[in-house]
């Protein structure tokens, strides 16, 4: 068993440092032409949008698909491990796939990109950070998160800043797609009719 040493810690100060590290990493993202190109590809998609990722990046990919669905763009999260056991059947011709991976080296993610190509996926978009990411070589478009340091984690391992950046980038793309489509509050209410947001969207949506 490992022995842990008690640490005297100003908890509020530490939490503030985490928030500052994540905010700084998000603001450091350089929005270039590839971001706009990714939005255009999603808007022109003749099939559906497939999102994928493993681990914590997979959770972001799943959330991105949910945000797209509620804002007028049909999307499905495809778990790369489950894809090998039959879920690849959801892939259709003319779909667009967006793969999330900070390192861009996750074997499962690289494999699903290759396999989806055989099923007619039109374009692949990668969201990654590392400059030596293998994802950069197998995607048509790369949304570059920049080289993110995990300065929010005291041991430099837990993906805090990188996942915050990934989430923010995905939200930026989703909102740009929604606004370019001219998606309305009424349309939102028709897709998201439950809970607080559903009631709020229906206040003027007879």
């Amino acid at each position: 068993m490992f022995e842990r040493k008690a640490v005297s810690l100003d908890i509020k100060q530490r939490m503030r440092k985490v928030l500052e590290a994540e905010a700084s990493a998000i603001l450091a993202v350089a929005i270039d032409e590839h971001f706009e190109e990714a939005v255009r590809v999603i808007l022109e998609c003749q099939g559906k949008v497939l999102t994928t990722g493993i681990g914590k990046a997979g959770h972001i990919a799943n959330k991105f698909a949910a945000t797209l669905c509620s804002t007028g763009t049909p999307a499905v999260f495809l778990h790369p491990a489950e894809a090998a056991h039959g879920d690849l059947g959801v892939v259709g011709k003319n779909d667009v796939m967006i793969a999330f991976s900070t390192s861009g080296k996750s074997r499962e993610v690289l494999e699903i990109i290759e396999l989806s190509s055989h099923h007619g996926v039109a374009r692949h978009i990668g969201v990654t950070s590392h400059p030596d990411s293998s994802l950069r070589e197998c995607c048509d478009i790369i949304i570059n998160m920049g080289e993110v340091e995990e300065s929010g984690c005291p041991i430099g391992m837990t993906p805090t800043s990188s996942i915050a950046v990934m989430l923010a980038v995905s939200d930026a793309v989703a909102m740009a797609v929604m606004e370019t489509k001219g998606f309305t509050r009424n349309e939102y209410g028709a897709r998201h009719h439950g809970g607080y947001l559903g009631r709020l969207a229906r206040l003027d949506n007879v």
Side-chain angles (χ1 to χ4, degrees):
M1 295 289 292
F2 291 101
E3 291 186 9
R4 291 192 181 91
K5 294 182 180 179
V7 177
S8 177
L9 183 67
D10 184 329
I11 293 175
K12 290 191 292 184
Q13 184 180 24
R14 172 104 284 282
M15 293 174 74
R16 171 56 57 184
K17 286 184 177 179
V18 173
L19 294 179
E20 289 174 351
E22 293 188 2
S24 177
I26 290 170
L27 292 174
V29 175
I31 305 295
D32 59 19
E33 68 277 7
H34 300 295
F35 283 72
E36 184 174 358
E37 187 179 0
V39 170
R40 297 294 178 193
V41 166
I42 294 172
L43 287 167
E44 295 166 5
C45 178
Q46 297 300 305
K48 59 186 171 297
V49 176
L50 301 167
T51 71
T52 192
I54 198 83
K56 294 170 183 63
H59 293 300
I60 300 301
N62 200 348
K63 189 268 182 187
F64 181 53
T67 299
L68 287 177
C69 283
S70 65
T71 54
T73 300
V76 178
F77 170 68
L78 180 57
H79 194 292
E82 296 295 342
H85 296 272
D87 284 5
L88 196 62
V90 76
V91 177
K93 189 176 181 181
N94 298 323
D95 288 349
V96 168
M97 177 171 280
I98 305 178
F100 292 79
S101 175
T102 300
S103 71
K105 303 167 188 173
S106 300
R107 176 184 54 80
E108 300 92 338
V109 174
L110 297 175
E111 183 179 74
I112 196 174
I113 290 174
E114 179 182 358
L115 293 174
S116 65
S117 297
H118 302 323
H119 289 264
V121 168
R123 305 287 294 276
H124 289 89
I125 300 169
V127 182
T128 189
S129 172
H130 292 193
D132 59 345
S133 165
S134 300
L135 197 64
R136 296 177 185 273
E137 301 173 7
C138 55
C139 287
D140 304 295
I141 303 168
I142 288 295
I143 292 178
N144 189 16
M145 295 162 50
E147 295 187 60
V148 184
E149 292 185 11
E150 302 296 1
S151 54
C153 173
I155 60 173
M157 296 294 294
T158 308
T160 53
S161 295
S162 59
I163 292 301
V165 170
M166 191 175 283
L167 176 61
V169 164
S170 71
D171 282 342
V173 170
M175 294 302 99
V177 169
M178 180 184 75
E179 191 167 1
T180 306
K181 277 187 171 185
F183 191 78
T184 67
R185 184 188 181 103
N186 284 1
E187 289 175 302
Y188 188 93
R191 289 163 176 78
H192 194 305
H193 61 275
Y196 169 77
L197 289 178
R199 290 193 301 274
L200 190 64
R202 290 199 308 274
L203 288 178
D204 58 354
N205 184 9
V206 179

